[in-house]
Amino acid sequence: MAGEPNVFGNNYLVLKPEEGGMRDLFQLLYSRNICRNGRVDSAEGTNLEELNRRWLIFVSLLAQVVLLRLRNPMLWIGSVIEWWPNLLLENTNLQTLLLNLLKGQVVRPDPQSATYRSVVGHLDVRLDLDKLIKHGDGRYNAALSMMASKLAYENQAFVHRTVKDHWNMEFVEFYQCWNDFQGTMTTQAFMFSDKPTDPDLIVVAFRGTDPFDTADWRTDVDFSWYEIPGVGRIHGGFMKSLGLQRTKGWPKEIEQGPNHHRFAYYAIREKLRHMLRQNDKARFIVTGHSLGGALAILFPAILDMHEEVGMLERMSGIYTFGQPRVGDETFGGYMKKVLNRHTISYYRFVYCNDVVPRLPYDDSTLLFKHFGTCLYYNSCYEGKIVADEPNKNYFSPWKVLPKYLNAAWELSRGLIIGRAKGSDYNEGWFLRFYRLSGLIFPGLPAHGPQDYVNSTRIGTSLIHPNAIQNNKVD
């Protein structure tokens, strides 16, 4: 990012998969002088002596180049996979579909309709909130946040209908936001409140990684980073997705309106400002699953950088599910101070062998660290508060066999959990097929929303009314 040292200091590294050639890519493996590389932007004089760091940059760039070229085919594959189960739903079942086909009366699904589900929506078809978890229950905000994080994967009409008809709450706004570096819309979120006027609670939910949108996957594997003086080193891909400006970094204000791109951070902050000014009793929480969790924890970081003290004082909690690491140890220390100063609860849910919370690596090469309260749940939904999830970098050789055995157990558990816990926990064929992939890549199905929903509903209750004190970030 040439010309940005005044914004980010003199320590940053930005990967540019759209630029340079194959020579630049492979040059990373033998040349430490990366500031002269056509696919990398960094401060003048930046050298990387360690081969392992250059190797990781090479892998990140190569993955982004491949994902860039695969975007259209992957979107097509995703649309086909989504379309068929929606076709069955629109025609009730397979038998009715075949009859309608013979009659020439097949009901075709509309991807923008209020009944059209995403791939994630087919994994876990639950729409209603748990009736046993009432407002005032220590589990309420976590359970509501997870359902909102799951709903964030759906289209606007589907989100609107669910919030209004299933949750009896007020839909506020839906966001499709611009990524200035990828030159496309990559960031989705929505906002709702507990009632239409004078709300007590406002919820902002960021969407996670769309399984078939390689623009999202590029965000995840983009190992660009920016070291902000006094804040720390932060994952560049997540910053770009939240609203980082290509030439200005994080200006406090930008031009907004119909003739300008919407950036997630600025658009959401503007709406929150308006709603909080309208009601001095309202408070808000932010949440997200996967990539959405990373954006949820970065949101208050940028608010603090912009000295939005009044807004931070109205933030009551951050709930993330399957969230990847977003910064280094310095950033973690900075965020602990921000959260404690404004008495903001931060709960990071991790289910069992979910691979995503264990990325990017917490090691001497990438330097990424988690921070805050980790609520870890095993495959029996038994929870405990830990400093970090077990097997924190996923690839421990001692955990290989237990991970495969656990994947087999999860597949078997899916066949009986409905009988044990009630029909609300029945698992459909789509989810069972997904769980089969765990026999090849254990930890992948564990990242789906179904087990996080179960953890907040039937898992050990780790959050209670005085949790801010008992689970305080330190």
Side-chain angles (χ1 to χ4, degrees):
M1 184 172 294
E4 281 200 3
N6 290 331
V7 177
F8 296 107
N10 292 313
N11 199 356
Y12 58 91
L13 187 148
V14 184
L15 306 184
K16 303 184 293 184
E18 302 91 345
E19 301 180 23
M22 295 303 292
R23 178 181 177 183
D24 294 303
L25 183 63
F26 285 96
Q27 189 180 43
L28 289 165
L29 298 178
Y30 62 83
S31 174
R32 63 188 181 87
N33 186 10
I34 63 169
C35 67
R36 301 298 183 191
N37 192 293
R39 288 187 182 267
V40 178
D41 197 357
S42 61
E44 188 66 30
T46 300
N47 293 318
L48 283 185
E49 302 288 347
E50 306 95 331
L51 176 60
N52 56 348
R53 289 196 178 189
R54 298 201 306 273
W55 171 256
L56 283 172
I57 292 170
F58 168 81
V59 170
S60 175
L61 268 171
L62 180 61
Q64 290 185 71
V65 169
V66 172
L67 289 169
L68 188 64
R69 296 181 179 179
L70 288 178
R71 189 179 191 207
N72 288 335
M74 286 295 290
L75 286 174
W76 181 82
I77 292 171
S79 66
V80 171
I81 291 175
E82 274 185 357
W83 194 80
W84 280 103
N86 278 292
L87 181 66
L88 285 175
L89 282 176
E90 290 291 339
N91 292 273
T92 309
N93 53 44
L94 181 59
Q95 181 179 356
T96 306
L97 172 61
L98 293 175
L99 287 173
N100 288 345
L101 184 62
L102 291 173
K103 296 176 183 177
Q105 298 175 352
V106 172
V107 181
R108 295 179 178 274
D110 175 5
Q112 301 305 317
S113 74
T115 58
Y116 191 92
R117 292 176 180 268
S118 68
V119 167
V120 173
H122 286 295
L123 291 175
D124 185 342
V125 299
R126 290 172 287 192
L127 296 179
D128 294 322
L129 303 178
D130 191 328
K131 294 179 175 60
L132 298 178
I133 303 178
K134 307 290 186 181
H135 185 71
D137 187 321
R139 299 173 295 166
Y140 180 80
N141 280 357
L144 175 63
S145 294
M146 183 54 224
M147 289 298 287
S149 298
K150 183 169 77 80
L151 185 59
Y153 287 91
E154 308 302 330
N155 67 57
Q156 181 173 352
F158 194 102
V159 170
H160 188 280
R161 179 179 68 93
T162 302
V163 170
K164 296 284 287 185
D165 297 345
H166 289 266
W167 299 357
N168 295 317
M169 296 186 185
E170 185 69 12
F171 174 83
V172 175
E173 194 160 349
F174 187 87
Y175 300 90
Q176 284 277 15
C177 295
W178 187 255
N179 185 318
D180 210 20
F181 292 77
Q182 293 194 24
T184 187
M185 301 288 189
T186 65
T187 310
Q188 184 170 302
F190 75 99
M191 189 185 302
F192 67 98
S193 62
D194 58 356
K195 48 190 174 182
T197 57
D198 297 326
D200 296 315
L201 181 67
I202 302 165
V203 181
V204 178
F206 290 95
R207 187 193 69 181
T209 302
D210 184 319
F212 294 96
D213 190 340
T214 62
D216 284 352
W217 286 105
R218 284 179 58 202
T219 295
D220 295 334
V221 303
D222 183 356
F223 289 167
S224 300
W225 49 262
Y226 303 93
E227 187 164 334
I228 302 176
V231 176
R233 183 178 295 188
I234 305 176
H235 188 293
F238 302 148
M239 295 254 280
K240 296 170 184 177
S241 185
L242 188 59
L244 183 73
Q245 305 294 287
R246 180 181 282 273
T247 59
K248 298 178 181 179
W250 285 111
K252 187 166 184 177
E253 305 291 345
I254 64 170
E255 292 186 54
Q256 300 187 70
N259 297 322
H260 300 278
H261 289 303
R262 297 180 92 194
F263 295 91
Y265 167 77
Y266 295 98
I268 292 169
R269 186 189 64 176
E270 181 181 36
K271 187 65 178 181
L272 279 173
R273 278 176 175 172
H274 173 73
M275 293 187 71
L276 295 175
R277 279 196 298 262
Q278 296 292 106
N279 178 9
D280 59 8
K281 294 182 180 179
R283 295 178 67 82
F284 73 98
I285 60 177
V286 292
T287 187
H289 169 258
S290 188
L291 164 63
L295 302 183
I297 191 57
L298 280 178
F299 186 77
I302 310 304
L303 287 178
D304 188 74
M305 287 168 51
H306 290 161
E307 299 179 334
E308 296 281 356
V309 176
M311 190 171 291
L312 286 167
E313 293 294 337
R314 309 281 291 278
M315 178 183 284
S316 62
I318 304 160
Y319 298 82
T320 71
F321 306 87
Q323 172 213 311
R325 298 181 177 102
V326 298
D328 66 1
E329 190 170 10
T330 302
F331 176 71
Y334 169 83
M335 284 304 299
K336 290 175 185 178
K337 293 177 183 177
V338 171
L339 298 173
N340 287 333
R341 186 187 313 133
H342 300 287
T343 325
I344 301 170
S345 301
Y346 168 39
Y347 298 107
R348 183 173 63 84
F349 285 75
V350 176
Y351 169 74
C352 201
N353 291 320
D354 184 353
V355 63
V356 174
R358 295 164 167 93
L359 299 171
Y361 291 155
D362 176 354
D363 60 13
S364 59
T365 301
L366 288 179
L367 305 175
F368 284 89
K369 298 280 185 182
H370 275 309
F371 61 92
T373 304
C374 176
L375 280 60
Y376 173 78
Y377 288 83
N378 65 20
S379 60
C380 294
Y381 304 119
E382 297 168 339
K384 60 182 177 179
I385 297 175
V386 295
D388 214 338
E389 53 278 339
N391 189 23
K392 68 177 183 178
N393 283 333
Y394 185 76
F395 287 108
S396 168
W398 307 109
K399 298 291 185 179
V400 173
L401 180 59
K403 282 190 295 189
Y404 279 101
L405 292 174
N406 191 78
W409 149 245
E410 288 175 332
L411 180 61
S412 302
R413 183 194 61 194
L415 302 174
I416 62 174
I417 192 171
R419 297 190 189 95
K421 299 296 182 181
S423 60
D424 203 33
Y425 296 89
N426 284 332
E427 297 190 358
W429 66 269
F430 202 87
L431 176 53
R432 290 174 184 174
F433 184 79
Y434 183 49
R435 288 206 187 277
L436 274 173
S437 69
L439 302 179
I440 301 170
F441 187 176
L444 181 61
H447 186 58
Q450 65 286 336
D451 291 311
Y452 283 101
V453 173
N454 292 349
S455 296
T456 60
R457 293 187 176 192
I458 59 176
T460 307
S461 180
L462 300 176
I463 302 177
H464 41 82
N466 59 344
I468 291 176
Q469 292 300 320
N470 291 340
N471 296 322
K472 190 174 181 181
V473 178
D474 53 31

